């Protein structure tokens, strides 16, 4: 007759074996579709932004055209996009468009509405801690960086990088917020890293609408980006160059904007004709 201790040992081992799944997934495979920080190295603010975006993904929130652009960050009912028949139900759905989701995520992370605006204004923000080109790929990116698509004249989509080649995005009408593989083909433009702390540098405000920045300090130079309205800008330096006349003012001073890698006539920058405290550009 077997002693109880001799019998129970093998039985316990057998039950433990039967309780295991036939093919236990690896941690990486189990997390493949999840929305979360997927790589180390991001700031605490960036990780909070990822968490805030992922909370909306996990809540099965709709994409809505124009969603998230109310007086305060957060989901709003959308609008009909005249160019997209799939948006017909967006006014009935509470949700976000791509930049609305980014605005909400960083407002939650920073405790203030630091990225209000559309994709272009978010990418060209004066709160940039770093910028990355399409040619650099994903190598230098960290979770919380913002990925953009389009051209320097028009950036049409923005998403939150999670790490490991994944992103959280509000992609298009008729879909929910989602986790996607980063699309580096097509018109992927680059990425920006956000600094939610105190703004550094010489910060000014533009005036006017449709004011173009230029590749060189000249009205005949290639256009880079047009400010849709008054915009907060960071000025790196200024120089005397081509004389410009507009609205009764004449000025030959131009400011270099590092966030845009472009120039703008000081006529369109609020302040003195020669901006106080801004150094002269070195040729």
């Amino acid at each position: 007759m077997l002693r109880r201790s001799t019998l129970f040992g093998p039985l316990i081992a057998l039950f433990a074996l039967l309780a295991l799944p036939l093919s236990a997934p690896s941690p990486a495979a189990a997390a493949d579709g999840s929305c979360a920080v997927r790589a180390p190295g991001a700031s605490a603010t960036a990780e909070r932004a990822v968490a805030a975006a992922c909370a909306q993904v996990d809540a099965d929130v709709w994409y809505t055209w124009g969603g998230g652009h109310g007086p305060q960050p957060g989901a709003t009912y959308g609008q009909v996009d005249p160019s997209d028949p799939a948006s017909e139900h967006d006014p009935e759905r509470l949700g976000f468009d791509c930049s609305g989701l980014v605005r909400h995520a960083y407002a939650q992370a920073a405790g203030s509405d630091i990225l209000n605006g559309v994709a272009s204004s978010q990418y060209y923000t004066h709160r940039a801690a770093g910028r990355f080109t399409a040619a650099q790929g994903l190598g230098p990116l960290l979770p919380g960086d913002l990925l953009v698509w389009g051209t320097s004249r028009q950036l049409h989509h923005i998403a939150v990088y999670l790490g490991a080649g994944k992103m959280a995005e509000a992609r298009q009408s008729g879909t929910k917020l989602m986790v996607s593989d980063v699309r580096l083909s097509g018109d992927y433009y680059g990425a920006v890293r956000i600094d939610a702390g105190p703004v550094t540098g010489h910060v000014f405000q533009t005036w006017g609408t449709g004011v173009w920045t230029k590749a060189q300090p000249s009205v005949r130079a290639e256009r880079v980006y047009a400010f849709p309205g008054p915009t907060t800008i960071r000025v790196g330096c200024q120089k005397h160059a081509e004389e410009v006349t507009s609205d009764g003012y004449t000025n030959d001073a131009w400011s270099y904007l590092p966030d845009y890698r472009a120039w703008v006539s000081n006529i369109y920058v609020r302040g003195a004709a020669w901006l106080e405290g801004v150094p002269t550009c070195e040729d």
Side-chain angles (χ1 to χ4, degrees):
M1 183 174 177
L2 293 173
R3 295 176 58 190
R4 293 180 59 173
S5 59
T6 306
L7 176 64
F8 282 10
L11 287 176
I12 291 172
L14 176 62
F15 289 149
L17 179 63
L18 291 175
L20 290 174
L22 294 178
S23 179
S26 66
D32 186 64
S34 65
C35 191
V37 172
R38 290 169 167 263
S43 69
T45 300
E47 290 195 351
R48 289 195 298 270
V50 169
C54 287
Q56 300 303 309
V57 173
D58 294 341
D60 220 23
V61 173
W62 283 98
Y63 172 101
T64 59
W65 193 64
H69 294 287
Q72 300 297 326
T76 63
Y77 290 98
Q79 307 168 34
V80 172
D81 177 356
S83 65
D84 185 4
S87 68
E88 62 176 329
H89 295 294
D90 285 6
E92 308 160 20
R93 291 169 172 163
L94 196 65
F96 298 94
D97 67 9
C98 62
S99 52
L101 177 62
V102 166
R103 178 193 181 192
H104 169 77
Y106 266 93
Q108 290 288 303
S112 60
D113 191 10
I114 64 171
L115 288 180
N116 190 4
V118 297
S120 289
S121 62
Q122 291 173 338
Y123 174 77
Y124 288 119
T125 176
H126 58 289
R127 292 182 174 275
R131 297 182 186 279
F132 310 92
T133 66
Q136 291 176 275
L138 299 180
L141 302 189
L142 295 173
D145 290 348
L146 303 180
L147 313 164
V148 291
W149 288 260
T151 67
S152 60
R153 294 190 181 193
Q154 183 183 17
L155 297 173
H156 60 81
H157 188 57
I158 192 165
V160 180
Y161 189 53
L162 303 178
K166 299 288 187 178
M167 62 184 178
E169 64 174 334
R171 186 167 184 179
Q172 61 192 40
S173 292
T175 67
K176 303 289 184 67
L177 307 188
M178 64 183 73
V179 173
S180 308
D181 293 326
V182 176
R183 299 181 292 277
L184 293 178
S185 58
D187 62 351
Y188 173 66
Y189 186 76
V192 60
R193 183 166 299 153
I194 302 302
D195 183 352
V199 176
T200 59
H202 308 283
V203 177
F204 293 87
Q205 188 84 5
T206 68
W207 64 273
T209 58
V211 175
W212 280 98
T213 59
K214 299 299 189 103
Q216 299 295 331
S218 168
V219 295
R220 293 179 296 276
E222 179 185 357
R223 291 174 167 181
V224 175
Y225 176 79
F227 299 124
T231 302
T232 301
I233 56 171
R234 180 164 45 184
V235 175
C237 60
Q238 59 188 336
K239 67 184 296 184
H240 294 290
E242 183 177 342
E243 193 172 81
V244 177
T245 298
S246 179
D247 293 292
Y249 297 94
T250 298
N251 194 350
D252 71 346
W254 288 73
S255 287
Y256 180 70
L257 313 181
D259 295 316
Y260 298 81
R261 300 188 180 97
W263 297 82
V264 66
S265 168
N266 281 14
I267 279 183
Y268 300 109
V269 182
R270 296 184 185 277
W274 185 258
L275 300 176
E276 297 180 7
V278 177
T280 301
C281 299
E282 296 182 3
D283 292 329

